[in-house]
Structures are given as C-alpha cells and as structure tokens.
Amino acid sequence: MKRDFKAEQEHLSITYKELLVVKEKAEKILEQHHKEGTELMAMMQNGLSRDVSSYSNQLETFSAIEIKNREIDQLNMKHDSWANRLNAVNRLLKEPYFGRIDLEFKNENETGTFYLGVNSFRTLDDEDRVIDWRAPIAELYYNQDLGETSYKIQNDKVPVNLILRRQFSLKEDQLIDYYDTSVIINDELLLQALSSNSSEYMQDITATIQKEQNEIIRDINSRILLVNGIAGSGKTSAVLQRIAYLLYQYRQDLLPDDVVLLAPNPLFMNYISKVLPNLGEKNPTNFTMHQLVNFKLPNNYKLENELAYLESIAKSNVSKQAKILRSEAFFVFLVKKMQDYSFKTTDFKAIKRGKKELFSAKDIAKFYTGIAKTQVASKQIQALAKQMEYELDQRLHKKARTQKMYDKITQMTETEQKKYFGGFIKSDSKSAVAILAYQYLKRIYKKIFRQICCYNWVDIKALFSDFYQEYTGENAILKDELTVDEGVVLVAIWHFFVMSLNKRNVRFVLIDEVQDYSPAQLKLLLELYPRASFTLLGDENQGIFQTYVDFSTVTKIFEQTGNSVTQKNLVTSYRSNGPITALFKQLAENCEAINVVTVQETGGQPQFISAQTTDDYKQKLIAILQQLPKDQSTALITKNVKQAKYLNKKLIKVLKIYSFIKPTAHVPGVGINLLPISIAKGLEFDNVILHDVSAENYHSQHDRKLLYTGISRGMKKVFLLYQGQKSILFA
C-alpha cells in the first residue's frame, strides 16, 4: 500500500464532509430566499399604498416601491451568489479535486499544500480547501517541473520550490489511487483516461492537461495564436479549456457573448457542447461558417443548407466562380471599391406598399444625387436612408391634412379610435384631426419605415454581379438559393457598402479546423470582429475540402492586421493507439518532418480486409460490425455522402445503425454510426471501419488527406475494407 494513502483518504473524507455541509447550508439559504422573495412580491402587489392623488403622496409611494425594489435586488444578489456556490459544490461532489502540489515559498521560508479541482471551494469558516485549476498557482501543476520554479500573480513573480506533484483518481469520497510524477506523459492517470471508451459528448481534460496544451490554454499575450496539431493531439480540448480559462482570467468584464467559437459542423458543436457547462461556464456564441453567413445575410436571401455546403466543398471539382469568390484578391478588390464607389440606379430596388410603388429605383437614385460623395459607400447609404425617411415623413404630413384623411378619421368607430389613439377623438377641428391622421399614417406606414431602415432597397445582388463582371470580364451566375461562397461575398458587400456588421464587443474568436476556411472567409471574419484576439486551430493534413488554405497563407492574412502570429505545435498523439497513429502518420504529407510522440504505444494493429465480390464485401463488413463490443462506439466512415446513403440502404435492414447523413444530431455514446468523412471530422470513436479503401476509390493527394482524417478518428481498432486492389497510398 502506498505510504500516504491513509492520510490522503482522511483528507478526502474531511473535504467531502465539508462540501456536504456547504451544500446543506446553501440549499437552506436558497429556500429561505425563495420564501422571502415570494413574500416581498406579494407585499408589493397587495400591501403597498398606490396613492397618487397628490404630489407628496406620489413621492411617498414611489419611495416605498424603490425601497422594496432594492430589497429584492439585494436578495437576488445573495441568491445568485449562493446558487453559484451550490453549483460549484455539486460539481466537486463528483470528484472533489484531481491534483495536489506542495510548495516551499523561497521568500517566506514557508511551505504550503494545495489541492486543485475544476472549481475552487471554501469552507463555511472561509478556509480554502480546493484551488481552481485556472488560478495562477495551479500553473505549477501543469508545468511539470519539480524543484525551483515560479509562478506569476499579475506581473509579480513568486519564486517557489515545487516539492511534490500528485495526481488523484477519485470517485466522490473514495480515493481509488494516486500518482506522484514530474512527467505527465507517462502518468497512469492519463493512460487510464485515454483507455476509457468514447462518449456522446467530449469530456474536459482538466485533470490531464499536458504542458504544451497548458501553454496554449494560458497564453494571454498573443493577439493571433496559431496552433498546428496532428490528429488526436487535443487541439479542440485545449481550445475549450482556453475559453474556460479566459472567462476566469477576465471574469470581471468578459461575458460568454464576448467570445465566438467557430466549429466545423453542427454535429461537432453538439459533441463539444457539455465541456464548458461541466466546468461551470456558459457556452460562448458558436457558429459554423454556414450558420454565421446565414445569420449575417438579410432575411430576404436564401442560403443552401449545411449538408449541401459540406457536400459541395468535399467534391474534387470546383467552379471558376467559386475559386474567385474564395480568393483573397477578390475580397481586397471589394475593399478598394468601397473607398470611392458611386451608386447607380440599378443598385436600388423600388420600395412598395402592396403593389403600389412609393419610391422607384429612379426616385432613390435622384435622392442619392444630393448625398455627399466624400464618405465611404456605407455612410452614403445611411445618409440616403435618412433622406428617404424625411421624404416619406413629409408625404405623410401632407396626406394627413387632406379632406380624405379628415373624413376617414372622423368617421372611425369607437373601437377603431381606441385601437389607433388609445381613446376617443375629443375635437373634430382640422388641426386636431390632422395630428391624429398623421399618428394613424405613421402606424400604417410603419413597415415602410422599417424597410428603409433595414436597407432592403439596396440590391446587393446587383452590386455582386457588377463587381464580378468588372473583376473577371464575365457574368456571375446567381441562383435563388445561394452557395456559402456567394453568401460570404454578399455579406462582405453588405458590410462594406450598406451597413457595418462588425461586433466590437467580441474580444476572442476561436476557429477550429482553420485550414478549411477560404481566404475570403478569413478576411470576412477579421472584418466582422476587428477588436478580437484570434486563436486558430488546425492540421494541414486534414485539409479535405476545396476551401483548404495552408498555414503560410493563414499567417500572411492575419499578419496583414499588423499583428504577429504566434505558432505553437502539438505533435503528441493522445487519441489513437500506437499502430493506428503510425498508419495515419505515414499518410501525412510532411511525415518525415513530424516528430510524433505516441502516448499509447501498444494496441491492436489496423486490419486490412480484402473482399473478392460485392456480396463477400457485405458479409465481411457485417461480420466485423457484429463482433465489435456493443458498449463501445463504432464509426463506419465513407468517402462521401453518396457512399453513406448507399451503405445505409444495404445495412439498415440487417443492423441497428445510426445514420448521420445530416450533420444535425448527437453521436450516441455506443453503437454503430454511419457517416461520411466530412461529418466525422473532429469526432472520435472506439472503433473505425473505413469503407472501400480500394485503389479506385482512393488514389490522389486529396484522397491521402481523406484517409489520414478517417483513420485518425479511431482510438482502439481500425478496419480498412476494400474490393480489388488496395489503395496505392498505403504502399
């Protein structure tokens, strides 16, 4: 038995009891607050005098209401404080802490022992029992270096001697084991975590954060941070922990809405959705690129659906128009056009009320002639909108004074009078009725004013076509249902030429799979979030889409903002076992340069399985699926959606399969999942079966990236089936 086991169990038992004491106290206080709040609300509704018969009585009434409002505010503050404390305690009751560090403080000749958990915990006597993993002192745990070291509190360096670094395996109030170590990569706790089965949701890695991941998580000095990590190196896990760290570090003035996370697809967003709530933080604003473009486009424009977008960018062929729209050069061209653009009649659309034209395109163009052209395009449009509002308002004033409107108002029923004026007409004088008529018309024309304010009369499709024709000498092809590439350009045109869409409150933007974002998309993100710091995560070997951009281009685009790009590399594979990692490493384009460290060195070899006929292939595939453990997750991964649909028809009557042809649902924690590589990207499974790795199906350099991505989804076992000749990419 380990020397300190009994002492650690006793400490855990004491801490657990203290957690229960705080839990009981918090629940009683919250129950009491609820009771007091209910009584206060009842008193405000029934017990307070509402005498407003005189000025002094009004003051007395308002004063009494204000006092009660303050009492409610104070009660709410106390309630929120104890509710947060209770939530933290409930999280810690599952695992009170995961680590311990013993320090000798060099300047004070004192020693201290600190236990680290997902949240901090203080007893009712105000004694610290657990330190939040994001606290400055906790960095010593993740840096791994025993002996003389230091940590920072704000700008002050605190020199210490790290005497002990201990990891725990706990379940509630039971100590299962502990490990003393200085090198995390060989730790038993990490290996245990990696050997566990995959689940429906990504788990947080708080207890097993590695040194290189910790550097990414806690980097607050880099305005642009680019993380280049091999498959399974924990890029996404690190970025989610980074969000939690930033929300803690800047907790006084940073809200979740001030952080934006861009994810590859909705399925992946569901997969990561529990990490931050499990750490006591709210999820930030999150989008896929498709969702962001759809959100920013005006309501009268229709965008292709998410699956269509993923299918289109996964194909090998790409149109000339798409290449141009994705380019940095065309985006820069739009920026230059914004500086001195003069609008034409064809850039405007008529504003109608029903079938009647209130302002024709020629009318709007005529108003535009009076607008100062020294401003950028969007300022001109905003000035034009104000001019149109003024013109419409003058028309309504004039109309309100007509005999027709006088007759209409004075002949209104009592019901109509109450509806439009809140009471009965008290005077039928011309001037009094004209005022009411104007009030009525403002209400009737409310939608027209909204149209003007929303700039629906600016034809950004016409601007798109003109700019494309000027840039290429060719006509653009625009259908009613827009592609995402077209949507990106239309959003940019709206931003530059109509109304700025930037979100200046956003301070951090984190982009997963950055290699899949076209130069135009990256340029747009920089426009939308001009004050944000960016964290960019990716793996060039997983650039499986047409939109792929290499890291040198990514760096160049972000350096154009005047900020340097800090690059950090993650080359340790945590997800897959050694043989699986070795196989996908061979497929990496720069495999000689990647010094991959494999944590799980042992494990089953990937199995290549050959079939002679289509029926033989089907039988072997079914046999593999049937023999795999039912309590594990298995992914049957195809090259594209078409193949996934084909397999679904073949297997659905034979086996229970979860088909993820649409990237919108949750991946079950166990069972067989059928999905194309484009949707499987970013996920992990205990077992992976790669469909049809024949020479006919996989043969190009692009296919090499597809295989790298598909194989690296597997944690424990990988099967590669083919009929005919095996892909030459495995030679």
Side-chain angles (χ1 to χ4, degrees):
M1 188 175 184
K2 292 184 178 179
R3 178 169 54 88
D4 294 339
F5 196 95
K6 183 178 179 181
E8 289 292 6
Q9 177 61 66
E10 289 176 355
H11 180 271
L12 174 59
S13 298
I14 292 170
T15 303
Y16 200 83
K17 288 177 182 177
E18 290 172 331
L19 284 165
L20 291 174
V21 169
V22 173
K23 176 182 171 67
E24 183 180 4
K25 174 81 170 179
E27 288 174 342
K28 286 182 178 179
I29 289 176
L30 290 173
E31 184 180 355
Q32 181 63 28
H33 281 180
H34 177 73
K35 181 180 178 182
E36 291 178 12
T38 303
E39 291 174 353
L40 270 172
M41 291 302 295
M43 185 181 299
M44 287 190 69
Q45 290 178 358
N46 305 317
L48 281 179
S49 170
R50 297 233 193 297
D51 186 359
V52 292
S53 58
S54 67
Y55 181 70
S56 60
N57 287 340
Q58 287 180 28
L59 290 179
E60 186 176 335
T61 297
F62 294 152
S63 176
I65 293 173
E66 179 63 22
I67 289 171
K68 293 303 177 185
N69 280 334
R70 288 180 183 177
E71 288 181 27
I72 291 174
D73 288 342
Q74 291 174 358
L75 199 63
N76 286 337
M77 289 175 62
K78 290 179 182 178
H79 177 277
D80 291 345
S81 176
W82 277 101
N84 290 336
R85 194 169 182 181
L86 177 60
N87 289 335
V89 166
N90 284 332
R91 281 188 292 272
L92 292 176
L93 284 171
K94 299 173 185 176
E95 184 185 44
Y97 45 80
F98 57 79
R100 166 184 166 179
I101 51 176
D102 289 5
L103 305 177
E104 180 183 33
F105 292 90
K106 309 277 287 186
N107 294 341
E108 301 173 12
N109 292 322
E110 292 182 358
T111 59
T113 295
F114 303 90
Y115 288 84
L116 312 178
V118 294
N119 295 116
S120 61
F121 170 61
R122 304 185 100 180
T123 68
L124 293 178
D125 295 327
D126 216 25
E127 294 182 8
D128 288 319
R129 284 289 181 265
V130 181
I131 304 297
D132 193 295
W133 68 276
R134 296 165 290 186
I137 199 170
E139 186 168 8
L140 297 169
Y141 175 81
Y142 295 112
N143 283 344
Q144 308 175 12
D145 302 320
L146 290 178
E148 293 188 3
T149 182
S150 64
Y151 67 97
K152 280 188 176 181
I153 298 180
Q154 295 180 340
N155 293 323
D156 296 330
K157 182 183 282 190
V158 182
V160 296
N161 183 25
L162 181 57
I163 303 167
L164 175 71
R165 182 182 172 282
R166 178 169 287 175
Q167 293 177 280
F168 297 100
S169 177
L170 311 178
K171 186 175 182 182
E172 298 178 347
D173 61 346
Q174 294 300 307
L175 173 61
I176 299 169
D177 211 342
Y178 71 81
Y179 313 96
D180 293 343
T181 181
S182 61
V183 184
I184 295 184
I185 204 166
N186 295 323
D187 283 352
E188 291 295 325
L189 191 61
L190 175 61
L191 293 173
Q192 284 180 23
L194 295 174
S195 64
S196 62
N197 292 345
S198 66
S199 65
E200 181 180 357
Y201 298 102
M202 177 181 281
Q203 306 300 306
D204 73 83
I205 59 168
T206 312
T208 57
I209 292 170
Q210 305 302 291
K211 185 174 183 178
E212 68 273 19
Q213 294 169 332
N214 186 55
E215 291 176 358
I216 293 164
I217 292 166
R218 294 175 183 259
D219 185 340
I220 59 173
N221 297 317
S222 300
R223 181 72 185 273
I224 313 292
L225 179 61
L226 174 61
V227 180
N228 182 12
I230 66 163
S233 58
K235 298 184 295 295
T236 303
S237 296
V239 80
L240 292 170
Q241 303 284 155
R242 175 168 172 75
I243 293 171
Y245 178 77
L246 292 170
L247 290 170
Y248 175 88
Q249 183 73 14
Y250 302 107
R251 55 192 177 280
Q252 301 301 326
D253 59 354
L254 182 67
L255 300 173
D257 287 346
D258 300 334
V259 181
V260 171
L261 173 63
L262 283 152
N265 59 62
L267 184 61
F268 184 76
M269 286 168 59
N270 289 333
Y271 178 56
I272 65 176
S273 63
K274 301 294 185 183
V275 173
L276 288 167
N278 287 341
L279 294 172
E281 301 291 354
K282 292 181 180 178
N283 280 317
T285 303
N286 53 68
F287 296 106
T288 63
M289 192 64 201
H290 173 278
Q291 290 171 342
L292 178 63
V293 172
N294 200 34
F295 179 69
K296 294 295 183 181
L297 273 174
N299 292 333
N300 53 329
Y301 292 89
K302 185 179 180 182
L303 196 66
E304 64 182 337
N305 64 48
E306 188 102 36
L307 179 61
Y309 173 58
L310 289 174
E311 278 192 86
S312 67
I313 61 176
K315 293 177 181 177
S316 56
N317 59 315
V318 55
S319 69
K320 179 182 177 181
Q321 179 168 305
K323 285 182 179 178
I324 290 169
L325 299 183
R326 293 171 186 169
S327 70
E328 181 183 6
F330 186 66
F331 198 92
V332 171
F333 169 77
L334 294 178
V335 175
K336 290 180 179 177
K337 292 294 294 182
M338 170 189 67
Q339 304 301 327
D340 56 0
Y341 186 73
S342 291
F343 289 90
K344 310 181 298 296
T345 302
T346 52
D347 296 331
F348 303 125
K349 294 185 291 186
I351 296 177
K352 298 180 179 180
R353 182 169 180 260
K355 295 183 178 180
K356 184 180 179 182
E357 246 183 35
L358 296 179
F359 296 106
S360 68
K362 287 184 178 180
D363 291 334
I364 299 172
K366 186 176 180 181
F367 294 141
Y368 177 69
T369 59
I371 302 299
K373 308 303 186 294
T374 54
Q375 306 175 90
V376 295
S378 60
K379 295 295 184 183
Q380 295 177 32
I381 289 296
Q382 289 160 38
L384 178 55
K386 289 181 179 179
Q387 178 63 35
M388 291 165 64
E389 282 183 322
Y390 175 78
E391 174 64 24
L392 179 59
D393 193 65
Q394 291 302 301
R395 290 185 187 182
L396 298 187
H397 271 296
K398 184 177 180 181
K399 188 173 183 178
R401 294 191 293 270
T402 63
Q403 184 63 40
K404 183 178 180 180
M405 286 306 303
Y406 178 87
D407 294 340
K408 184 176 183 63
I409 299 301
T410 55
Q411 293 171 17
M412 278 185 173
T413 65
E414 291 184 352
T415 302
E416 288 175 324
Q417 292 178 45
K418 286 183 179 180
K419 176 181 177 181
Y420 292 109
F421 311 124
F424 301 131
I425 299 173
K426 296 178 180 179
S427 172
D428 60 357
S429 70
K430 289 282 187 181
S431 58
V433 171
I435 292 172
L436 293 175
Y438 173 72
Q439 182 180 334
Y440 167 78
L441 289 169
K442 284 282 284 188
R443 182 166 179 173
I444 296 300
Y445 281 78
K446 185 178 180 180
K447 289 183 178 179
I448 306 302
F449 280 103
R450 190 181 298 123
Q451 280 187 53
I452 295 173
C453 292
C454 292
Y455 310 105
N456 292 336
W457 41 274
V458 182
D459 193 343
I460 58 173
K461 273 192 175 182
L463 289 167
F464 178 106
S465 298
D466 287 349
F467 294 147
Y468 187 86
Q469 202 282 331
E470 181 180 344
Y471 185 80
T472 65
E474 301 175 2
N475 292 327
I477 300 172
L478 275 181
K479 298 180 180 179
D480 289 339
E481 188 173 83
L482 302 167
T483 68
V484 169
D485 294 314
E486 293 159 359
V488 166
V489 173
L490 286 169
V491 169
I493 290 172
W494 187 271
H495 172 71
F496 290 134
F497 295 85
V498 182
M499 180 180 68
S500 174
L501 298 173
N502 62 41
K503 298 281 288 182
R504 293 184 175 273
N505 66 298
V506 173
R507 292 171 56 185
F508 296 97
V509 175
L510 304 100
I511 307 175
D512 204 357
E513 306 288 359
V514 69
Q515 76 280 347
D516 294 333
Y517 289 73
S518 71
Q521 290 173 355
L522 295 177
K523 296 285 285 186
L524 178 63
L525 291 171
L526 284 167
E527 286 289 338
L528 296 180
Y529 307 112
R531 294 185 177 179
S533 295
F534 282 79
T535 301
L536 316 170
L537 313 164
D539 177 1
E540 289 178 301
N541 283 296
Q542 292 189 65
I544 65 174
F545 296 126
Q546 298 168 358
T547 47
Y548 165 75
V549 59
D550 59 64
F551 281 2
S552 61
T553 302
V554 172
T555 300
K556 184 190 75 171
I557 288 172
F558 279 87
E559 283 181 341
Q560 289 169 357
T561 63
N563 298 291
S564 60
V565 175
T566 302
Q567 180 167 331
K568 295 185 184 293
N569 301 318
L570 295 176
V571 295
T572 301
S573 172
Y574 300 105
R575 176 190 299 138
S576 307
N577 68 30
I580 296 173
T581 301
L583 180 60
F584 73 71
K585 179 191 171 184
Q586 291 173 16
L587 293 162
E589 290 184 350
N590 54 343
C591 62
E592 299 301 324
I594 298 178
N595 183 26
V596 177
V597 178
T598 305
V599 175
Q600 304 180 78
E601 296 180 358
T602 60
Q605 290 284 343
Q607 297 181 40
F608 286 89
I609 298 172
S610 173
Q612 300 303 313
T613 65
T614 302
D615 286 341
D616 183 34
Y617 185 100
K618 180 180 177 181
Q619 293 306 316
K620 287 181 176 177
L621 174 57
I622 291 172
I624 294 169
L625 290 169
Q626 288 177 333
Q627 75 180 28
L628 290 170
K630 299 294 187 292
D631 62 345
Q632 294 183 1
S633 64
T634 296
L636 175 53
I637 299 178
T638 63
K639 184 177 181 179
N640 52 46
V641 173
K642 182 179 179 181
Q643 291 179 6
K645 289 179 178 178
Y646 168 80
L647 276 185
N648 190 52
K649 288 182 180 179
K650 291 289 184 182
L651 300 175
I652 194 168
K653 294 181 180 179
V654 183
L655 296 164
K656 184 178 181 181
I657 292 180
Y658 301 97
S659 179
F660 291 93
I661 296 168
K662 294 183 178 181
T664 53
H666 291 280
V667 175
V670 297
I672 303 169
N673 307 281
L674 171 60
L675 60 177
I677 293 176
S678 59
I679 297 176
K681 196 172 184 223
L683 305 176
E684 59 184 29
F685 303 89
D686 296 309
N687 312 296
V688 162
I689 302 170
L690 217 57
H691 168 64
D692 189 13
V693 297
S694 65
E696 183 180 354
N697 200 29
Y698 288 96
H699 48 81
S700 67
Q701 285 301 107
H702 176 256
D703 292 339
R704 178 186 292 273
K705 292 181 178 181
L706 289 171
L707 289 171
Y708 171 98
T709 304
I711 293 168
S712 62
R713 301 307 95 204
M715 297 167 59
K716 298 175 179 178
K717 292 182 180 180
V718 169
F719 301 87
L720 304 102
L721 276 71
Y722 63 96
Q723 185 180 340
Q725 295 296 315
K726 181 173 65 176
S727 172
I728 59 173
L729 297 172
F730 292 111

